[in-house]
Amino acid sequence: MYRTHTNGSLRIENVSNEVTLSGWVQKIRDKGFMVWVDLRDRYGIIQLIFDEERSTKELMEKARSLGREFVIQISGTVVERESKNPNMPTGDIEVLVDELNILNAAKIPPFTIEKDTDGGDELRMQYRYLDIRRKPVRNNIIFRHQVSMEVRKYLSDQGFIDVETPYLIKSTPEGARDFVVPSRMNKGQFYALPQSPQTFKQLLMVGGMDKYFQIVKCFRDEDLRADRQPEFTQIDCEMAFVEQEDILNTFEGLVKHLLQEIKGVTIDKFPRMSYEDAMKKYGNDKPDIRFGMEFGELNDLTQNKGFNVFDAAALVVGIAAPGCAEYTRKQIDKLTDFVKKPQVGAKGLVWVKYNEAGNLKSSVDKFYSQEDLKEWAVRLKAKPGDLLLILAGEANATRTHLSALRMHLAAEIGLRKPDEFAPLWITDFPLLEWDEETRRFHAMHHPFTAPKPEDKHLLEKEPGKVRANAYDMVLNGNEIGGGSIRIHDKETQSRMFDLLGFSKEEAQAQFGFLMNAFEYGAPPHGGIAFGLDRLVAILGGQESIRDFIAFPKNNAGRDVMIDAPATIAQDQLDELNLKLKS
Amino acid sequence: MYRTHTNGSLRIENVSNEVTLSGWVQKIRDKGFMVWVDLRDRYGIIQLIFDEERSTKELMEKARSLGREFVIQISGTVVERESKNPNMPTGDIEVLVDELNILNAAKIPPFTIEKDTDGGDELRMQYRYLDIRRKPVRNNIIFRHQVSMEVRKYLSDQGFIDVETPYLIKSTPEGARDFVVPSRMNKGQFYALPQSPQTFKQLLMVGGMDKYFQIVKCFRDEDLRADRQPEFTQIDCEMAFVEQEDILNTFEGLVKHLLQEIKGVTIDKFPRMSYEDAMKKYGNDKPDIRFGMEFGELNDLTQNKGFNVFDAAALVVGIAAPGCAEYTRKQIDKLTDFVKKPQVGAKGLVWVKYNEAGNLKSSVDKFYSQEDLKEWAVRLKAKPGDLLLILAGEANATRTHLSALRMHLAAEIGLRKPDEFAPLWITDFPLLEWDEETRRFHAMHHPFTAPKPEDKHLLEKEPGKVRANAYDMVLNGNEIGGGSIRIHDKETQSRMFDLLGFSKEEAQAQFGFLMNAFEYGAPPHGGIAFGLDRLVAILGGQESIRDFIAFPKNNAGRDVMIDAPATIAQDQLDELNLKLKS
């Protein structure tokens, strides 16, 4: 037996117990007549002591031969410490060692195994197995496990059935790019890895399995934007015989349960906002509502006063940054630089300081009176001490720019608090989205989303105006889940493929199985999928998903630890009937 | 709202309740003045009633227009039945319908949606979404969910952490063939889908995550033997700071928990048998011990009595088939035919009837006396009424033949009872297996398995004799799990790769990351993986895994429902820098 206890579990009550412990050498302090070793495992750290009075010479020598990250096993007696450490759960005691067994030596690790390490990102990824020994990474992985377990428990208790859907499926040209898998037994043919189990979960509904869930890997071969992974995990769910309201209630219940169980945060009812309102109020379909700074439209108050920039703009829109009236010229210039960055793209920024004294000072004093500016402040619900920031231009673009500024500022002034949770539902998404580049409509959610019954009459003549029974759950400015009520009849599904530019043949070849299934008694159904990586990161009070994935890939889609992808043998290619293009 | 109740939930207490129900039309009986409809959902079946006295003419017409598998919604009143059906949970009541809403019509299904369907295998696979509506398939899928949940619950309660390992990894030539995934971003390079997360779980141990589990898909591109799938599911587990005994106890605990919770079967302690004993006693490393028929070796009792077949044989070995002494000539001929089938491969079969009266009659009476035969019967622990069956030839092959006969007979005489559970551990597997074809050693378990310390000295001179700390869990004649204590030092791992015929360069290119990891403080560790598909099937009292997979593939690795694999577009190939060989 390698251990009688784990290293975080011993307390003052264990004094005089004989124990056997195993773990890694965290730290060694050699005071000559005494040697202390911090022994670490997943559960904590305990101090070992060797001293010249009580330990043999051989044992002292052996203790001195240890290095950081050596794996050792010891036997000894728990004793009370002379100088206690109240910052450690095991800080009242130490173990006087009488036997030391080196289980495995260790080279000096390439970075320190501490909370704050000296290792850079790339190095930590290459030695991820060492990075995982660090407490913050270890805790993230354990936290993810806890969230997954709670999700499963909640959904299972609600009657949902975990069904595994296949990973080797068929490539579909709609949406993102698939990863494909050449078939050896069916030469010249390929499987694809699922971007989501969408069609399978719908077929489970046709199959009568009316509440389905799965925590499942999904795959997208996209050029990786920051913080995206080629393989990611979804909490995938579907229900039959439901309306949108049933789904919103069920999954609001899930996230409330997680907030309660995992974070101890009670939230009564999630607010709901239409897509249109979210765009108007926040310039964003995933607004962070932990703080205010709602948009105020100023066209009527700002135009025709001689300021050309505003006069020429389709939209003049602003926010009031709380308590920022005292920003210096330099600070405001930085905000201007921010909105003019190519990633944001605004042309300039108008500011108005609403001073504590009540007077207003702006970058456009030449054109506007104190009374004018006061009216703006009222519209933007500003209080004395706030800084008004105003952008102008084409409506959609300007909203997007202002949203970026709002989020940037909120982070700057500390309004995005990681321990505060503000979920909301965004509803009534447009069904279709016009793509200027390909000159055709794309499905905003996906091609299986049902139009709202009351908008169905617009499908022929004004498809762009049709709204969908589609919804996103937003948490702290991140979309953590999205779903829709699905089409469940062949005719509507077929019409949708038309609208999306599929020929009848293409639609049949790709999704014939689904449309056939709809002819054999498909129930009304809908569902949702949550991004588990993101959900866990946000619940953990962080924004980067990579820190919550045990073995993530880098931005080039590479696993730098195992060095994948890699070339394969010629006979593997031959068996697959494939050739590399030169 | 589509329903106030599900269809299996109503009882006599609900009489006079107004209810709304949804589901599929299972059956319609039209007696002219009355129409009964059986309405089905996941939860059960309830009878609806329409009659000329109480229903409007329009409603009667509408009810008569229904077809099998139509999806409908009804509102009505629960009433007591005149003639009750004690075989249905809802058999005391029916629902008098006052509103009927056809949610979706259905074409006539290609096979009946009944427990015993008229649909053949291929057709049921093509319309798997209809097959899933059938109670046995639905129940299997729900049963699988229950087993998975119990596995997670048990392991999580024991401190195991569910860690997701990557699906896009690196191809390794050892073992079965990999499925590969061409990388678009890293041209000419490929990911591979994991055959198991073996190296990742070992790296988690190096990372200090000392109890890991995952229910995870694995992939093998093998020519599919019956009842194998190219993608299958493992319960994958690993522990650090453990010896074999710790692992056996932990996972015996898991399976005991499942048998208790899922089947209500209490098993105290699992028997253990060495690989060598299993081969001697049962000719098989996964013996079914629900019944006896242990092998008895008869060389000393049978040789040198003039029967050439036995005299020339390295091994003469037999079993006693209980109660089969009255087998007819024809029945015995059939057994002889069975052992002579090419799939079995024996040359012939010697039989001895141990009659109830105590006398013995054999196919070799010419060579052996009653006293001789009596000795055989004693050796084979036969009782009067048993049939002794004896094979002879090369030792290993003959044991394999007799094992096949033993299993065949046990099935024939009803000894393989699906509701009886007999688990056992097989231990002390050989580390290596000599492969005649490639003229080299293969790892019997996998290349990461540690030799037994006491056999390590044989590694250089007699590698074939080295035993491993490897173990299988066997349930009812099926291997449901297997694992080993792993190598955790670079030197032994490197030596193992030598033995398996890897060059230093190959070993470094394929597994360098693991051997490097072993230099930074790798703890002793080991683990196990269970085949979830098989485990669920056996717990469900069946042998075929396909019935416990929602969307299985056929023996050609095809999903006949979605028609995958399939060709992909030329521009997909181009982007991947690939060409098909003509």
Side-chain angles (χ1 to χ4, degrees):
Chain A
M1 197 179 43
Y2 278 104
R3 54 188 176 188
T4 54
H5 296 78
T6 54
N7 297 330
S9 64
L10 295 171
R11 295 290 181 277
I12 190 82
E13 301 85 72
N14 297 99
V15 163
S16 85
N17 286 176
E18 297 289 322
V19 297
T20 301
L21 304 174
S22 291
W24 286 265
V25 172
Q26 175 75 26
K27 210 188 286 177
I28 310 159
R29 273 156 305 153
D30 185 351
K31 293 275 182 190
F33 58 100
M34 275 192 179
V35 175
W36 287 277
V37 172
D38 279 357
L39 186 67
R40 188 196 67 232
D41 65 12
R42 179 183 135 195
Y43 311 90
I45 289 179
I46 191 157
Q47 182 166 292
L48 310 178
I49 180 163
F50 305 79
D51 74 31
E52 289 191 340
E53 277 180 30
R54 293 178 288 179
S55 309
T56 65
K57 204 174 166 194
E58 290 79 4
L59 191 57
M60 289 302 285
E61 297 270 292
K62 206 166 180 186
R64 286 199 181 96
S65 78
L66 296 176
R68 278 201 289 138
E69 301 305 317
F70 272 44
V71 185
I72 63 172
Q73 181 191 37
I74 64 101
S75 294
T77 312
V78 180
V79 297
E80 189 166 357
R81 279 208 213 181
E82 288 200 9
S83 57
K84 298 188 175 158
N85 180 348
N87 300 321
M88 283 174 79
T90 61
D92 289 347
I93 51 160
E94 58 196 355
V95 175
L96 179 66
V97 176
D98 49 48
E99 213 179 310
L100 166 60
N101 182 10
I102 298 176
L103 298 175
N104 216 344
K107 295 207 288 196
I108 293 166
F111 50 85
T112 55
I113 310 298
E114 302 280 355
K115 182 164 179 284
D116 296 308
T117 181
D118 57 356
D121 257 14
E122 188 78 1
L123 200 63
R124 292 196 295 115
M125 287 303 135
Q126 192 184 337
Y127 294 89
R128 184 64 165 176
Y129 45 86
L130 298 180
D131 203 27
I132 291 172
R133 289 188 195 161
R134 293 172 51 239
K135 193 170 178 181
V137 181
R138 177 174 80 232
N139 286 355
N140 285 350
I141 291 172
I142 295 174
F143 182 72
R144 183 182 178 115
H145 161 73
Q146 289 162 338
V147 174
S148 294
M149 284 298 293
E150 281 301 331
V151 168
R152 293 180 194 281
K153 188 171 168 302
Y154 181 86
L155 292 175
S156 185
D157 286 349
Q158 300 281 324
F160 284 79
I161 302 297
D162 179 359
V163 182
E164 292 178 55
T165 53
Y167 279 96
L168 296 172
I169 65 164
K170 192 158 81 168
S171 187
T172 58
E174 176 66 16
R177 213 183 268 107
D178 287 319
F179 282 105
V180 298
V181 181
S183 167
R184 181 181 53 87
M185 289 207 278
N186 303 272
K187 292 229 187 305
Q189 300 190 351
F190 294 75
Y191 301 99
L193 300 178
Q195 295 185 29
S196 90
Q198 182 61 35
T199 51
F200 288 95
K201 69 177 173 176
Q202 292 192 242
L203 292 172
L204 285 171
M205 295 306 110
V206 178
M209 197 62 63
D210 63 2
K211 288 176 170 183
Y212 145 89
F213 85 101
Q214 190 183 187
I215 296 184
V216 62
K217 273 284 176 79
C218 301
F219 304 86
R220 269 181 215 164
D221 185 11
E222 286 174 330
D223 296 321
L224 297 169
R225 282 183 278 158
D227 214 29
R228 289 274 191 135
Q229 291 279 316
E231 51 178 308
F232 55 97
T233 306
Q234 270 184 201
I235 308 167
D236 194 50
C237 309
E238 197 82 0
M239 301 173 80
F241 300 115
V242 288
E243 289 156 350
Q244 172 167 311
E245 195 59 28
D246 301 305
I247 296 185
L248 298 191
N249 287 332
T250 302
F251 293 98
E252 188 166 315
L254 169 64
V255 176
K256 274 158 76 169
H257 175 82
L258 294 178
L259 287 168
Q260 186 69 60
E261 293 300 314
I262 306 268
K263 305 301 295 186
V265 171
T266 310
I267 291 179
D268 183 35
K269 188 89 193 125
F270 291 10
R272 296 183 188 182
M273 197 183 295
S274 73
Y275 172 81
E276 203 181 338
D277 281 355
M279 295 309 286
K280 278 202 136 185
K281 282 188 181 169
Y282 299 102
N284 198 315
D285 61 1
K286 42 179 199 277
D288 190 338
I289 58 166
R290 281 177 294 186
F291 54 93
M293 288 203 263
E294 275 183 31
F295 289 12
E297 300 192 358
L298 303 172
N299 291 39
D300 56 329
L301 302 179
T302 58
Q303 290 182 327
N304 304 314
K305 303 258 175 158
F307 183 44
N308 278 337
V309 174
F310 282 3
D311 289 350
L315 179 69
V316 182
V317 61
I319 52 174
C324 295
E326 295 190 3
Y327 263 34
T328 61
R329 181 75 214 194
K330 201 168 156 192
Q331 282 176 298
I332 294 180
D333 283 350
K334 269 191 159 171
L335 295 181
T336 308
D337 291 346
F338 173 81
V339 297
K340 287 166 110 175
K341 279 199 309 186
Q343 301 94 303
V344 181
K347 296 238 171 62
L349 178 68
V350 167
W351 54 266
V352 183
K353 289 181 173 184
Y354 188 2
N355 294 317
E356 290 285 359
N359 63 316
L360 298 106
K361 172 86 191 84
S362 84
S363 59
V364 287
D365 279 352
K366 218 189 318 179
F367 304 100
Y368 299 98
S369 67
Q370 284 284 310
E371 288 66 40
D372 289 336
L373 299 179
K374 193 80 177 226
E375 282 185 310
W376 302 6
V378 170
R379 177 73 52 87
L380 300 184
K381 301 189 181 91
K383 290 189 293 288
D386 290 357
L387 174 69
L388 281 50
L389 296 166
I390 298 150
L391 296 176
E394 189 274 318
N396 288 341
T398 305
R399 288 196 177 102
T400 305
H401 304 156
L402 190 59
S403 170
L405 178 62
R406 177 177 174 272
M407 294 298 277
H408 174 77
L409 249 171
E412 190 168 292
I413 60 185
L415 298 177
R416 307 198 64 192
K417 300 192 181 113
D419 53 348
E420 207 173 280
F421 295 93
L424 87 157
W425 288 108
I426 304 293
T427 61
D428 300 338
F429 278 86
L431 181 68
L432 300 164
E433 199 174 26
W434 180 256
D435 184 58
E436 270 305 325
E437 201 177 312
T438 55
R439 307 283 310 155
R440 63 182 187 85
F441 282 109
H442 282 271
M444 185 122 177
H445 186 55
H446 57 47
F448 314 106
T449 297
K452 270 183 186 289
E454 63 267 35
D455 287 1
K456 227 175 153 178
H457 65 282
L458 298 168
L459 216 46
E460 297 305 316
K461 297 220 168 126
E462 294 183 284
K465 286 202 173 157
V466 176
R467 291 166 308 159
N469 273 325
Y471 32 82
D472 277 356
M473 192 189 284
V474 173
L475 182 59
N476 295 2
N478 293 276
E479 180 208 321
I480 57 165
S484 62
I485 297 296
R486 325 300 185 187
I487 296 166
H488 68 281
D489 67 286
K490 184 177 182 173
E491 197 192 335
T492 310
Q493 189 62 70
S494 172
R495 174 71 191 118
M496 180 62 81
F497 287 131
D498 291 348
L499 276 173
L500 296 174
F502 283 67
S503 72
K504 288 283 173 216
E505 293 68 34
E506 284 166 349
Q508 188 57 39
Q510 296 298 329
F511 296 110
F513 63 94
L514 186 66
M515 290 193 285
N516 289 348
F518 286 170
E519 294 198 292
Y520 287 100
H525 62 285
I528 194 166
F530 292 90
L532 180 65
D533 307 298
R534 176 102 27 222
L535 176 63
V536 171
I538 296 170
L539 290 177
Q542 296 180 36
E543 301 250 315
S544 164
I545 65 171
R546 201 184 280 186
D547 294 335
F548 289 83
I549 297 172
F551 299 103
K553 293 189 170 57
N554 74 9
N555 283 344
R558 293 198 71 83
D559 182 327
V560 296
M561 179 185 70
I562 64 168
D563 195 22
T567 54
I568 58 173
Q570 186 60 43
D571 59 346
Q572 281 179 289
L573 280 173
D574 291 343
E575 276 195 320
L576 296 170
N577 205 42
L578 288 179
K579 257 169 46 182
L580 296 181
K581 281 194 190 170
S582 54
Chain B
M1 197 178 43
Y2 279 102
R3 55 188 177 189
T4 55
H5 296 77
T6 54
N7 297 329
S9 65
L10 295 171
R11 294 291 181 276
I12 190 82
E13 301 85 71
N14 297 99
V15 162
S16 83
N17 287 176
E18 299 289 322
V19 298
T20 301
L21 303 174
S22 291
W24 286 264
V25 172
Q26 175 77 24
K27 211 188 286 178
I28 309 160
R29 274 156 303 153
D30 185 351
K31 293 275 182 189
F33 58 100
M34 275 193 180
V35 175
W36 287 277
V37 171
D38 278 358
L39 186 68
R40 188 197 67 231
D41 65 13
R42 178 183 136 195
Y43 311 90
I45 289 178
I46 191 156
Q47 181 167 292
L48 310 178
I49 179 163
F50 304 79
D51 74 32
E52 288 190 341
E53 276 179 33
R54 294 178 288 179
S55 308
T56 64
K57 207 176 161 190
E58 291 79 5
L59 192 57
M60 290 300 286
E61 298 270 290
K62 206 165 177 183
R64 288 200 179 94
S65 78
L66 295 176
R68 278 200 290 137
E69 300 305 316
F70 273 44
V71 185
I72 63 172
Q73 181 191 37
I74 62 101
S75 294
T77 312
V78 180
V79 295
E80 190 166 357
R81 279 208 215 181
E82 288 199 8
S83 57
K84 298 187 175 158
N85 180 347
N87 300 321
M88 283 173 78
T90 62
D92 289 348
I93 50 159
E94 57 196 355
V95 175
L96 178 66
V97 176
D98 49 48
E99 215 180 307
L100 166 61
N101 181 11
I102 299 178
L103 298 174
N104 217 343
K107 295 207 286 196
I108 293 167
F111 50 83
T112 55
I113 311 297
E114 303 280 355
K115 182 164 178 283
D116 297 306
T117 182
D118 57 356
D121 257 15
E122 188 78 359
L123 200 63
R124 293 197 296 113
M125 287 302 137
Q126 192 184 338
Y127 294 90
R128 185 64 165 177
Y129 46 86
L130 298 180
D131 202 28
I132 291 172
R133 288 188 196 159
R134 294 172 51 238
K135 195 170 174 177
V137 181
R138 178 174 77 234
N139 285 356
N140 285 351
I141 292 172
I142 295 174
F143 182 73
R144 182 182 179 115
H145 160 73
Q146 289 162 337
V147 174
S148 295
M149 283 298 293
E150 282 301 330
V151 169
R152 292 180 194 282
K153 189 172 169 303
Y154 181 86
L155 291 175
S156 185
D157 287 349
Q158 299 281 324
F160 284 80
I161 302 297
D162 179 359
V163 183
E164 294 177 53
T165 53
Y167 279 95
L168 295 172
I169 65 164
K170 193 157 82 168
S171 188
T172 59
E174 176 67 16
R177 214 182 268 108
D178 287 319
F179 283 106
V180 297
V181 181
S183 166
R184 180 181 54 85
M185 290 207 278
N186 302 274
K187 293 230 188 301
Q189 300 191 352
F190 293 75
Y191 302 99
L193 300 178
Q195 295 184 30
S196 91
Q198 183 61 36
T199 50
F200 288 94
K201 69 176 174 178
Q202 292 192 243
L203 291 173
L204 285 171
M205 295 306 110
V206 177
M209 197 61 65
D210 62 3
K211 289 177 168 181
Y212 145 90
F213 85 101
Q214 191 183 187
I215 297 185
V216 62
K217 275 282 175 79
C218 301
F219 303 86
R220 268 179 216 166
D221 186 11
E222 286 174 331
D223 296 321
L224 297 170
R225 283 182 279 159
D227 214 30
R228 288 274 192 136
Q229 291 279 315
E231 49 178 309
F232 54 97
T233 306
Q234 270 186 202
I235 307 167
D236 194 51
C237 309
E238 196 82 2
M239 301 172 81
F241 299 114
V242 288
E243 288 157 350
Q244 172 168 310
E245 195 58 29
D246 301 304
I247 296 185
L248 299 191
N249 286 333
T250 302
F251 294 99
E252 187 165 316
L254 169 65
V255 176
K256 274 159 77 170
H257 175 82
L258 294 179
L259 287 167
Q260 186 69 59
E261 292 299 315
I262 306 269
K263 306 302 296 183
V265 171
T266 310
I267 291 178
D268 183 34
K269 187 89 192 127
F270 292 9
R272 297 182 188 181
M273 195 183 295
S274 72
Y275 171 82
E276 202 181 340
D277 280 356
M279 296 309 287
K280 278 202 138 186
K281 281 188 181 168
Y282 300 101
N284 197 318
D285 62 0
K286 42 179 199 278
D288 190 339
I289 58 166
R290 282 176 294 185
F291 53 94
M293 290 204 260
E294 275 184 30
F295 290 11
E297 301 191 359
L298 303 172
N299 291 39
D300 57 330
L301 303 180
T302 58
Q303 292 181 329
N304 305 317
K305 304 259 175 156
F307 182 42
N308 279 338
V309 175
F310 282 2
D311 288 350
L315 179 68
V316 181
V317 61
I319 53 174
C324 296
E326 296 191 1
Y327 264 31
T328 60
R329 182 76 214 192
K330 203 168 153 194
Q331 282 175 298
I332 292 180
D333 283 350
K334 270 191 156 172
L335 294 180
T336 308
D337 291 346
F338 172 82
V339 298
K340 287 166 109 177
K341 280 199 308 185
Q343 302 96 303
V344 181
K347 296 234 169 64
L349 178 67
V350 168
W351 55 265
V352 184
K353 288 181 176 186
Y354 189 3
N355 293 317
E356 289 285 0
N359 63 318
L360 296 107
K361 172 86 191 86
S362 84
S363 58
V364 286
D365 280 351
K366 218 189 317 179
F367 304 102
Y368 300 98
S369 67
Q370 284 283 311
E371 288 65 41
D372 289 333
L373 298 178
K374 193 80 176 224
E375 283 186 308
W376 302 7
V378 170
R379 176 74 53 87
L380 300 184
K381 302 189 180 88
K383 290 187 292 289
D386 290 355
L387 175 67
L388 281 49
L389 297 165
I390 297 150
L391 296 176
E394 188 274 315
N396 288 339
T398 304
R399 287 194 178 105
T400 305
H401 303 156
L402 190 61
S403 171
L405 178 62
R406 177 177 175 271
M407 294 299 277
H408 174 77
L409 249 172
E412 189 167 294
I413 60 184
L415 297 177
R416 306 197 65 194
K417 300 195 181 111
D419 53 347
E420 208 173 280
F421 296 93
L424 87 156
W425 287 108
I426 303 294
T427 60
D428 300 337
F429 279 85
L431 181 68
L432 300 164
E433 199 173 26
W434 180 256
D435 185 57
E436 270 304 327
E437 203 176 311
T438 54
R439 309 278 317 150
R440 63 182 185 86
F441 282 109
H442 283 271
M444 185 121 177
H445 186 54
H446 56 48
F448 314 107
T449 297
K452 271 185 185 288
E454 62 267 35
D455 288 0
K456 227 175 151 177
H457 65 282
L458 299 168
L459 217 44
E460 298 305 318
K461 297 218 168 128
E462 294 183 284
K465 287 204 173 157
V466 177
R467 289 166 309 159
N469 274 324
Y471 32 83
D472 277 356
M473 193 190 283
V474 173
L475 182 59
N476 294 2
N478 293 277
E479 180 209 321
I480 57 164
S484 63
I485 296 296
R486 325 299 185 187
I487 296 165
H488 68 281
D489 66 285
K490 184 176 181 174
E491 197 192 337
T492 310
Q493 188 62 68
S494 172
R495 174 72 191 118
M496 180 62 80
F497 286 130
D498 291 348
L499 277 172
L500 297 173
F502 283 65
S503 73
K504 288 281 173 219
E505 293 68 32
E506 284 166 348
Q508 188 57 37
Q510 295 299 329
F511 296 109
F513 63 95
L514 186 67
M515 290 192 286
N516 289 348
F518 285 170
E519 294 196 295
Y520 287 99
H525 63 285
I528 194 167
F530 292 89
L532 180 65
D533 307 298
R534 177 101 27 223
L535 175 62
V536 170
I538 295 169
L539 290 176
Q542 297 180 35
E543 299 249 317
S544 164
I545 65 170
R546 203 186 277 185
D547 294 334
F548 289 82
I549 297 172
F551 299 103
K553 293 189 171 55
N554 73 10
N555 282 345
R558 293 197 70 82
D559 182 328
V560 296
M561 179 183 71
I562 64 167
D563 194 24
T567 55
I568 58 172
Q570 186 59 45
D571 58 346
Q572 281 179 288
L573 281 173
D574 291 344
E575 276 195 319
L576 296 170
N577 205 42
L578 288 179
K579 257 167 47 178
L580 295 180
K581 281 194 190 170
S582 54

